[in-house]
């Protein structure tokens, strides 16, 4: 019978119960989606890595004899070794005016001989031995350019133009995140991976019997660090750039960061939502027990035990949380699948499987169960501990105090309805404070949700217009002498040109060291500038080195410290240089020096590795055709194209996450405001009806009831802005990595957006309660005793 | 109170005309007739007591007169204006300007002091008496800044009376004003009502099932099963202090 009462009571309170269920559903869906996405990403990566034998250790050398493969294989702890030849080349892609860049990676002539970092063939077939022009191209590149197996692409390999025939579409665990070296953003139209037979590539590059890339798989329990040291030592004479493990492998690094970031989100948002659910359940259930005290008394008098009654009221918490967790789990599964699709746009897995696990469901049910218990606890105690006789009596009348209107002079100026509102809030300061905090949290979620927008905008601004002002970057295949500038300057359409040198080194300070390349720039105020994440320009002092702040922190070095620099190539000198300053950049880790200083430090006559060009757009076509034929160029980057492609990619994922966060924050705010007003209405129906009878209009009475919620919302909004900034700080700390740091940047639009959304939500929930207020039966309410 | 003394429908001092009023409630499959063809006139300054057992229809009549409920048929005129044809906003305005209510359970606003409860009404009235004066009228001039929870039942009811009369209503409607009070306290409340009626000239309708109270009225109306069974005038009004029950 109690079950029937529970059901009917719940139906009666369905608005409030649905609000609680909705908040629980939001929390659970974030939890379920994020935790299943994290697992799915990890599992997909794990499967991909093991099925296609992703290596543990990597190393690039200038050129080493093939017989070293044997010696490396003999090192204890090395399970297998794969040597490869890799080269970056300029491409002429049909349908693309600008030149593109391809990275050609060698693969065995026969599939059966495939070693580490195997290629997954998505479409078409593997290359045929002996056909030197056959290649497999990467899926993102082919799709972006609308290429299919059978299509041809022109390439300049080692100065010779060659026509490549694409026979298959492939993917590799090495390039799950496919970006051009030196870039952070994928531009799949203009950069792609190509796999070509080892023998064909060797002969095209004049690398017969040699390799320039080494991959190792280690046996379980082997110390990676020892192997790295041995490799560095072994290959020092062959222009090694330093061996590194998976943690420094660019693609893996991006995915690991992503997985870590997803992991962060499993805790933050669900905690907020479930916390709010606990709060809502608490106030709703306490009110139910208060209004039903006579019923509790009758039930106890009839002989129902305290447990029966306690569990009955616990049911009021269990039902909405259960409904919420069921909806949340299904919604979470749906969101998780959607998110995985978005990840599929960024990351190129052979197979990105969405795993929906029973563990996540069980955990979410457990979490919502705990939330229900916490939320119901005080009402449960109140119902159990209430002696039947006391329960029969009405609740003791509440005593008010003059409060802040103690002074007659203040009191006179404040209209009576405002006094009613303020005294009500003063009487239950904790409830008022909690309500403010809950609404503020919704504002905070909105602010933090849009914060990522602001960060992206800032990143776009800094990376694509403040820091870089060139149109094109061309990377030279080999280091060029100073005189290359005359050749470049003579090209028709080049308006400005600026050069830099990129020197692979190992920088160390004390016992800490890091593989890094030093960028020697001609000027830090020309086409490229040094700009930090707060969009401030940084000067490059002469004589010293400037490191990204994160890099300096990793080394534990501070400005003024002397750093050791081991050059990996050329004369392989060990030099010392002073850390002249740091720059707090958004992306990656960098080391900057003046070009002349770097040349001096390297102890050679100087070299240039790449050029930034500003070009006359009317002559771009001609220039592009020339670049496509130029033998000395191994890579080309177009700033505008990069920006466009990144914009498109990011917009899709950002919009999705903002829509989700905004709707969840709305649900949160609605639930809090609606429940607050509903409970006020229930507590004060008699009072408000009396006022109606006394001749106050519906509008005036609504002001008293909703004014309270409006005042709380008004206080909550600025507090929510602060919370939002706090939450964003938390996010920026949690999400920053060696790859990426988020500046604290908030646009006015962010706050206006949050403000407008909360005002709309509060108004809608207020209006929903006002409908009930208007329908109050004046006569019936007056007939009942308080 | 010059409005109240003007000629209405040719009869001097007619404030309220109730004409053939019927009210029936449909409760599930049963129809209950709460009022059957009730016709009554009330005049300026009259103190009328409506007597009847519970379920006799007296509260229903009061609620309709007060604009809280609408009749099933029949008409109600206040100074010649048909209240039964009024819109919701007009009804609110009618309650606001012309009607004072006193309830059995006082219905004070617990978060406002005695004075503020009265000010609640004076703030929205056109020519109210000062709130302090209204409270002094009911003998609570020294309890202005007490909250309801700090007042006794009788005091609370007198605050309710002060609140009802402070706007100088033409019609004071009291639903069992002493119903929740003991004898002595009840008398104090009735004295306050009598004083207001005498000093301000407010037409006052008091609902009660306590026959003894009838002695203080100008006019005693008996209701039974929704019908007026008796409508008598007392030769003289007793002072509430003379009442015994």
């Amino acid at each position: 019978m109690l079950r029937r009462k529970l059901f009917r009571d719940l139906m009666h309170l369905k608005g409030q119960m649905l609000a609680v269920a909705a908040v629980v559903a939001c929390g659970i869906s974030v939890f379920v989606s994020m935790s299943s996405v994290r697992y799915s990403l990890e599992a997909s990566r794990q499967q991909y890595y093991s099925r296609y034998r992703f290596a543990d250790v990597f190393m690039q050398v200038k050129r080493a004899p093939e017989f070293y493969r044997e010696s490396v294989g003999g090192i204890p702890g090395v399970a297998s070794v794969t040597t490869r030849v890799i080269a970056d080349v300029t491409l002429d892609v049909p349908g693309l005016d600008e030149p593109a860049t391809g990275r050609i990676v060698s693969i065995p002539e026969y599939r059966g001989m495939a070693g580490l970092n195997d290629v997954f063939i998505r479409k078409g077939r593997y290359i045929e031995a002996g056909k030197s022009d056959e290649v497999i191209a990467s899926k993102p590149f082919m799709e972006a350019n609308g290429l299919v197996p059978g299509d041809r692409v022109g390439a300049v390999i080692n100065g010779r133009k060659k026509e490549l025939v694409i026979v298959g579409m492939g993917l590799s665990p090495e390039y799950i995140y496919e970006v051009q070296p030196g870039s952070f953003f994928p531009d799949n139209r203009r950069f792609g991976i190509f796999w070509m037979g080892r023998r064909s590539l060797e002969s095209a590059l004049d690398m017969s019997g040699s390799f320039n890339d080494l991959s190792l798989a280690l046996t379980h329990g082997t110390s990676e660090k020892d192997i790295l040291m041995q490799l560095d030592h072994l290959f020092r004479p062959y222009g090694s750039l330093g061996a590194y493990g998976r943690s420094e492998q660019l693609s893996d690094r991006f995915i690991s960061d992503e997985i870590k970031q997803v992991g962060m989100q499993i805790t933050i948002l669900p905690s907020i939502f479930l916390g709010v659910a606990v709060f809502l359940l608490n106030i709703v259930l306490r009110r139910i027990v208060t209004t039903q005290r006579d019923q509790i008394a009758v039930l106890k008098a009839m002989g129902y035990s305290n447990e029966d009654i306690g569990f009955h009221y616990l049911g009021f918490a269990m039902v909405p949380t259960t409904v919420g967790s069921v909806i949340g789990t299904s919604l979470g599964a749906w969101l998780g699948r959607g998110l995985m699709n978005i990840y599929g746009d960024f990351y190129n897995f052979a197979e990105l499987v969405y795993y929906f696990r029973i563990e996540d469901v069980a955990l979410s049910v457990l979490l919502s169960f705990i939330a229900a218990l916490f939320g119901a606890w005080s009402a449960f105690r109140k119902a159990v501990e209430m002696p039947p006789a006391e329960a029969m009596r009405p609740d003791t009348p509440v005593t008010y105090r003059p409060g802040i209107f103690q002074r007659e002079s203040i009191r006179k100026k404040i209209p009576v309805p405002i006094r009613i509102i303020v005294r009500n809030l003063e009487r239950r300061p904790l409830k008022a404070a909690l309500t403010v905090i809950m609404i503020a949290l919704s504002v905070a979620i909105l602010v933090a949700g849009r914060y990522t927008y602001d960060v992206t905008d800032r990143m776009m601004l800094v990376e694509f217009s403040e820091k870089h002002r060139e149109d094109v970057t061309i990377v030279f295949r080999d280091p060029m002498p100073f005189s290359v500038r005359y050749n470049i300057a003579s090209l028709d359409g080049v308006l400005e040109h600026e050069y830099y040198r990129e020197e692979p080194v190992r920088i160390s300070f004390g016992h800490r060291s890091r593989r890094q390349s030093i960028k020697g720039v001609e000027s830090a105020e020309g086409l490229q500038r040094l700009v930090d994440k707060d969009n401030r320009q940084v000067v490059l002092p002469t004589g010293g080195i400037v490191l990204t702040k994160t890099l300096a922190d990793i080394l534990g070095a501070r400005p003024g410290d002397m750093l050791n620099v081991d050059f990996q190539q050329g004369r392989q000198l060990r030099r010392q240089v002073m850390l002249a300053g740091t720059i707090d950049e958004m992306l990656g880790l960098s080391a900057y020096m003046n070009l002349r200083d770097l040349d001096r430090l390297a102890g050679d006559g100087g070299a240039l590795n790449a050029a930034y060009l500003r070009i006359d757009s009317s002559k771009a076509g001609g220039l592009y055709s020339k670049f496509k034929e130029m033998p000395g160029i191994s890579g080309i980057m177009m700033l505008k194209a990069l920006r466009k492609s990144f914009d498109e990619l990011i917009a899709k994922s950002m919009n999705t996450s903002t829509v989700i966060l905004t709707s969840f924050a709305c649900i949160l705010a609605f639930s809090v405001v609606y429940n607050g007003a509903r409970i006020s209405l229930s507590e004060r129906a008699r009072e408000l009806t009396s006022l109606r009878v006394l001749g106050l209009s519906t509008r005036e009475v609504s002001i008293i009831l909703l004014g309270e919620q409006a005042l709380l919302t008004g206080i909550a909004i600025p507090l929510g802005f602060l919370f939002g900034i706090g939450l964003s700080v938390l996010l920026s700390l949690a999400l920053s990595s060696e790859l990426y740091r988020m500046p604290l940047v908030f646009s006015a639009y962010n706050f206006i957006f949050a403000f407008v959304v909360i005002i709309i939500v509060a108004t809608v929930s207020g209006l929903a309660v006002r409908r009930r207020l208007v329908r109050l039966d004046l006569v019936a309410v007056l007939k009942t005793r308080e | 109170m010059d409005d109240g003394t003007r000629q209405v429908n040719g009869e001097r001092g007619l404030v309220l005309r109730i004409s053939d009023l019927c009210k029936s409630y449909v409760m599930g499959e049963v129809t209950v007739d709460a009022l059957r063809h009730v016709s009554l006139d009330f005049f300026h300054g009259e103190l009328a007591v409506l007597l009847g057992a519970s379920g006799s229809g007296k509260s229903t009549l009061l609620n309709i007169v007060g604009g809280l409920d609408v009749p099933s048929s029949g008409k109600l005129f206040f100074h010649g204006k048909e209240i039964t044809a009024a819109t919701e906003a007009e009804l609110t305005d009618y309650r606001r300007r012309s009607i004072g209510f006193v309830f059995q359970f006082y219905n004070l606003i617990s978060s406002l002091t005695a004075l503020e409860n009265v000010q609640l009404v004076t703030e929205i009235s056109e020519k109210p008496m000062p709130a302090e004066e209204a409270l002094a009228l009911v003998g609570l001039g020294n309890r202005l800044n007490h909250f309801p929870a700090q007042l006794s039942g009788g005091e609370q009811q007198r605050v309710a009376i002060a609140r009802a009369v402070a706007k100088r209503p033409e019609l004071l409607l009291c639903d069992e004003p002493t119903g929740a009070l003991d004898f002595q306290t009840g008398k104090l409340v009735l004295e306050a009502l009598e004083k207001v009626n005498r000093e301000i000239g407010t037409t006052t309708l008091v609902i009660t099932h306590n026959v003894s109270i009838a002695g203080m009225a100008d006019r005693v109306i008996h209701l039974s099963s929704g019908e007026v069974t008796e409508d008598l005038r007392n030769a003289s009004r007793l002072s509430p202090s003379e009442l015994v029950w």
Side-chain angles (χ1 to χ4, degrees):
Chain A
M1 204 46 68
L2 277 183
R3 202 171 298 163
R4 201 169 294 170
K5 171 182 175 315
L6 175 64
F7 176 73
R8 295 211 181 116
D9 286 349
L10 284 172
M11 286 312 287
H12 183 64
L13 294 165
K14 58 180 180 293
Q16 285 165 278
M17 290 299 162
L18 278 176
V20 172
V23 173
V24 172
C26 292
I28 294 297
S29 67
V30 175
F31 177 81
V32 168
S33 58
M34 287 304 170
S35 111
S36 61
V37 162
R38 180 176 64 170
Y39 179 81
S40 304
L41 283 176
E42 270 174 351
S44 298
R45 176 176 68 168
Q46 176 54 38
Q47 282 171 13
Y48 196 11
Y49 281 2
S50 76
R51 192 167 304 161
Y52 291 90
R53 297 182 297 280
F54 185 50
D56 296 309
V57 168
F58 308 82
M59 178 177 233
Q60 280 82 51
V61 295
K62 200 143 185 69
R63 180 191 189 120
E66 184 64 19
F67 62 76
Y68 267 98
R69 191 159 71 97
E70 305 278 319
S71 10
V72 172
I75 299 174
V78 173
S80 64
V81 186
T82 296
T83 57
R84 296 183 296 182
V85 176
I86 294 180
D88 290 345
V89 301
T90 310
L91 299 175
D92 185 3
V93 182
L96 190 67
D97 293 339
E98 314 93 86
T101 304
R103 164 158 289 195
I104 307 190
V105 179
S106 72
I107 45 174
E109 251 73 24
Y110 298 98
R111 185 85 216 248
M113 289 162 64
L116 299 171
N117 306 320
D118 195 8
V119 182
F120 161 70
I121 309 288
R122 186 60 175 260
K123 264 188 204 164
R125 60 168 174 84
Y126 200 73
I127 52 164
E128 230 171 84
K131 298 210 168 157
S132 70
D133 55 351
E134 286 192 359
V135 291
I136 298 164
S138 67
K139 175 172 165 275
F141 178 81
M142 285 180 72
E143 286 180 348
N145 285 294
L147 297 172
V148 290
D151 284 343
R152 285 157 187 274
V153 170
V156 180
I157 306 176
N158 200 20
R160 285 185 290 270
K161 195 153 187 199
K162 196 173 166 79
E163 189 94 327
L164 303 176
V165 184
I166 299 172
V167 296
M169 178 190 268
L171 284 168
S172 153
E174 229 182 334
Y175 300 103
I176 294 178
Y177 189 71
E178 188 174 304
V179 288
Q180 191 163 1
S183 173
F184 276 87
F185 313 107
D187 178 2
N188 295 325
R189 275 210 86 180
R190 290 166 200 83
F191 177 76
I193 309 292
F194 291 80
W195 290 274
M196 193 177 184
R198 170 78 180 261
R199 238 159 264 299
S200 322
L201 190 56
E202 269 182 10
S203 65
L205 293 170
D206 302 324
M207 289 273 289
S208 293
S210 313
F211 65 89
N212 62 12
D213 180 273
L214 187 69
S215 309
L216 271 63
L218 305 182
T219 55
H220 192 70
T222 307
S223 157
E224 185 185 289
K225 208 173 157 214
D226 290 347
I227 301 288
L228 296 183
M229 277 172 59
Q230 292 187 56
L231 288 178
D232 281 349
H233 181 75
L234 199 60
F235 288 96
R236 198 165 166 76
Y238 298 97
S240 150
L241 301 184
Y244 54 95
R246 278 185 187 178
S247 67
E248 280 185 62
Q249 203 267 345
L250 192 66
S251 162
D252 184 81
R253 169 122 239 178
F254 270 96
I255 298 154
S256 298
D257 268 14
E258 193 71 58
I259 292 173
K260 218 187 286 169
Q261 291 180 8
V262 172
M264 302 289 178
Q265 297 175 47
I266 296 177
T267 45
I268 301 177
L269 277 182
S271 321
I272 292 178
F273 281 102
L274 290 180
V276 173
V278 167
F279 163 77
L280 289 178
L281 279 173
N282 184 311
I283 59 167
V284 172
L285 261 67
R286 286 173 68 97
R287 183 61 200 161
I288 294 173
V289 169
T290 306
T291 51
Q292 298 193 346
R293 39 193 300 135
D294 54 333
Q295 300 179 21
I296 295 172
V298 171
L299 289 171
K300 286 191 178 177
M302 287 189 300
Y304 278 98
S305 71
N306 280 339
E307 288 72 43
D308 295 336
I309 290 168
F311 280 111
H312 173 63
Y313 286 100
L314 198 57
F316 281 93
M318 293 309 296
V319 172
T321 44
T322 308
V323 170
S325 70
V326 168
I327 296 172
T329 308
S330 337
L331 185 64
W334 181 74
L335 282 178
R337 191 173 295 277
L339 278 172
M340 286 303 274
N341 282 333
I342 292 176
Y343 281 121
D345 290 339
F346 281 89
Y347 301 106
N348 306 292
F349 284 90
E351 208 182 5
L352 194 53
V353 187
Y354 179 61
Y355 295 93
F356 184 68
R357 294 181 308 158
I358 195 75
E359 289 97 310
D360 292 332
V361 178
L363 204 54
S364 75
V365 169
L366 185 70
L367 280 174
S368 55
F369 186 72
I370 292 170
L373 278 181
F374 268 110
W377 184 243
S378 75
F380 175 85
R381 289 248 322 252
K382 201 175 164 190
V384 167
E385 286 170 0
M386 197 184 286
E390 190 192 303
M392 281 285 197
R393 282 196 293 272
D395 220 349
T396 36
V398 288
T399 314
Y400 287 84
R401 278 176 189 72
I404 59 167
F405 305 129
Q406 191 91 44
R407 288 189 23 219
E408 190 72 29
S409 54
I410 304 178
R411 202 181 323 175
K412 282 223 169 110
K413 287 182 198 137
I414 313 283
V416 173
I418 307 293
R419 278 184 244 171
I420 297 181
I421 292 170
V422 173
R423 291 222 179 101
N424 265 307
L425 296 177
E426 277 184 326
R427 190 166 64 83
R428 298 228 204 104
L430 186 66
K431 188 185 158 201
L434 281 173
T435 305
V436 166
I437 290 172
M438 300 298 142
I439 301 172
L441 283 174
S442 337
V443 179
I445 292 174
L446 286 171
V447 170
R450 287 210 75 93
Y451 163 65
T452 45
Y453 257 116
D454 290 344
V455 170
T456 310
D457 277 350
R458 168 62 63 82
M459 188 160 80
M460 290 290 183
L461 175 74
V462 170
E463 295 298 323
F464 293 112
S465 39
E466 292 302 318
K467 200 166 160 179
H468 291 278
R469 299 190 297 176
E470 77 279 4
D471 297 313
V472 185
T473 306
I474 50 175
V475 181
F476 306 136
R477 191 158 59 96
D478 299 304
M480 292 298 206
F482 184 79
S483 58
V484 73
R485 58 174 61 236
Y486 303 117
N487 301 338
I488 300 282
S490 69
L491 291 171
D492 187 25
V494 172
L495 300 176
E496 272 183 76
H497 49 123
E498 194 178 296
Y499 301 82
Y500 66 86
R501 174 175 188 173
E502 196 143 31
E503 200 56 44
V505 298
R506 179 170 285 279
I507 299 183
S508 40
F509 180 69
H511 61 282
R512 300 187 209 183
S513 76
R514 190 87 197 180
R515 281 180 346 109
Q516 178 64 44
S517 69
I518 299 178
K519 191 169 186 178
V521 296
E522 284 192 313
S523 151
E525 280 106 41
L527 289 177
Q528 198 212 0
R529 302 192 296 178
L530 302 189
V531 181
D532 71 8
K533 66 185 169 68
D534 297 314
N535 201 19
R536 281 184 305 236
Q537 207 181 330
V538 172
V539 287
L540 184 59
T542 42
I545 190 168
V546 169
L547 301 183
T548 307
K549 190 175 171 302
T550 315
L551 179 55
D553 290 343
I554 289 170
L555 294 172
R558 273 183 298 187
D561 288 336
M562 291 304 287
L563 309 176
N564 284 319
V565 172
D566 291 290
F567 285 87
Q568 306 285 303
Q569 293 183 327
R571 291 169 59 197
Q572 301 187 339
L573 297 175
R574 159 164 279 218
R575 306 298 288 261
Q576 285 211 314
V577 64
M578 190 183 73
L579 177 57
T582 60
I583 173 169
D584 200 358
E585 290 178 306
M586 291 184 80
L587 299 175
L589 303 179
S590 300
Y592 300 99
M593 284 183 80
N594 270 311
L595 182 60
R596 278 168 204 285
D597 293 336
L598 181 58
D599 287 344
R600 205 172 301 129
L601 201 67
D604 54 26
L608 300 173
N609 294 91
Y612 291 126
L613 308 178
R614 204 161 66 72
I615 60 175
D616 181 347
S617 54
S618 65
K619 292 176 178 159
L623 265 176
Y624 292 155
S625 316
K626 273 186 198 138
F627 290 151
K628 284 178 185 175
E629 317 257 319
M630 278 181 148
I633 296 177
S634 71
I636 292 175
M637 271 181 268
M638 311 274 161
L639 195 65
K640 279 202 193 83
L642 206 57
R643 178 181 182 137
K644 188 162 164 271
S645 117
F646 184 67
D647 248 347
E648 284 164 6
L649 196 61
I650 214 85
K652 210 186 324 178
S653 72
M654 290 283 255
N655 286 337
T656 312
S657 73
T658 306
V659 166
I660 294 171
L661 276 178
T662 306
S663 2
F664 282 11
C666 288
I667 290 173
L668 198 66
F670 181 86
S671 303
V672 173
V673 177
Y674 178 75
N675 262 306
R678 274 298 300 272
I679 284 165
S680 289
L681 178 64
S682 137
E683 283 173 347
R684 295 157 61 196
R686 233 174 91 83
E687 232 176 61
L688 297 171
T689 312
S690 307
L691 293 171
R692 288 275 289 123
V693 172
L694 290 174
L696 268 73
S697 62
T698 325
R699 200 177 137 261
E700 288 163 326
V701 175
S702 308
I703 288 172
I704 293 180
L705 177 70
L706 301 177
E708 191 177 317
Q709 303 304 316
L711 185 64
L712 294 177
T713 308
I715 299 170
I717 290 174
L719 188 68
F721 288 165
L722 288 179
F723 280 12
I725 292 171
L727 193 58
S728 306
V729 170
L730 208 65
L731 271 177
S732 79
L733 288 178
L735 303 185
S736 60
S737 62
E738 287 183 21
L739 288 176
Y740 183 41
R741 269 94 37 198
M742 294 163 84
L744 282 175
V745 41
F746 298 94
S747 63
Y749 181 73
N750 181 336
F751 295 111
I752 294 169
F753 177 78
F755 178 82
V756 170
V757 168
I758 289 296
I759 293 293
I760 291 173
V761 168
T763 308
V764 169
S765 53
L767 288 178
V769 175
R770 190 176 181 273
R771 262 184 47 220
R772 291 182 164 268
L773 180 69
V774 172
R775 282 184 301 181
L776 274 184
D777 183 345
L778 298 186
V779 177
V781 177
L782 292 175
K783 278 289 162 198
T784 51
R785 209 175 201 290
E786 208 156 304
Chain B
M1 290 294 103
D2 33 36
D3 270 357
T5 53
R6 69 179 183 198
Q7 293 290 115
V8 182
N9 292 349
E11 290 173 60
R12 185 171 170 75
L14 179 65
V15 175
L16 189 73
R17 166 158 286 174
I18 297 166
S19 169
D20 201 26
L21 214 60
C22 292
K23 175 75 182 180
S24 39
Y25 295 103
V26 181
M27 305 181 96
E29 287 161 19
V30 202
T31 306
V32 180
D33 291 319
L35 291 177
R36 310 174 195 219
H37 308 287
V38 173
S39 294
L40 288 166
D41 286 347
F42 291 97
F43 298 91
H44 176 71
E46 228 176 11
L47 195 163
V49 167
L50 273 81
L51 283 173
S54 97
S56 60
K58 52 189 195 306
S59 288
T60 308
L61 181 61
L62 200 75
N63 289 336
I64 293 173
V65 169
L68 299 180
D69 206 350
V70 286
S72 309
S73 69
K75 288 178 176 175
L76 179 77
F77 297 93
F78 180 77
H79 284 305
K81 186 177 177 349
E82 191 187 340
I83 297 303
T84 34
T87 62
E88 184 61 40
E90 285 167 344
L91 280 180
T92 300
D93 196 51
Y94 167 64
R95 289 198 298 267
R96 193 165 182 149
R97 287 164 188 267
S98 314
I99 306 292
F101 275 103
V102 176
F103 309 101
Q104 182 177 3
F105 299 116
Y106 336 130
N107 291 60
L108 297 178
I109 308 300
S110 55
S111 56
L112 296 179
T113 62
L115 184 65
E116 289 167 346
N117 260 283
V118 179
Q119 284 171 339
L120 187 64
V121 170
T122 57
E123 275 183 6
I124 60 166
S125 306
E126 279 171 5
K127 280 178 282 176
M129 66 174 79
E132 291 85 351
E133 191 186 321
L135 283 162
L137 194 66
V138 296
L140 286 176
N142 56 342
R143 310 281 269 167
L144 299 181
N145 293 322
H146 286 66
F147 283 94
Q150 300 165 315
L151 296 169
S152 74
E155 287 172 327
Q156 289 189 48
Q157 190 60 299
R158 282 186 282 154
V159 173
I161 294 171
R163 183 175 66 178
V165 301
K167 63 177 157 188
R168 303 182 200 276
E170 292 203 46
L171 206 50
L172 182 61
L173 305 174
C174 312
D175 192 351
E176 300 277 9
T178 59
L181 302 171
D182 61 54
F183 173 62
Q184 284 304 333
T185 323
K187 267 191 175 179
L188 283 175
V189 167
L190 291 176
E191 273 170 12
L193 277 179
E194 196 270 341
K195 192 176 172 197
V196 166
N197 173 257
R198 185 162 34 85
E199 292 185 4
I200 311 178
T202 310
T203 306
T204 308
L205 266 68
V206 179
I207 281 189
T208 181
H209 58 267
N210 186 344
V211 186
S212 319
I213 293 175
M216 65 179 279
D218 293 311
R219 189 175 168 193
V220 182
I221 298 157
H222 281 264
L223 275 168
S224 173
S225 305
E227 287 177 308
V228 177
T229 52
E230 239 181 6
D231 186 353
L232 298 173
R233 286 192 175 273
N234 284 333
S236 63
R237 273 165 50 163
L238 295 177
S239 142
S241 60
E242 297 170 79
L243 300 177
V244 180
W245 70 83

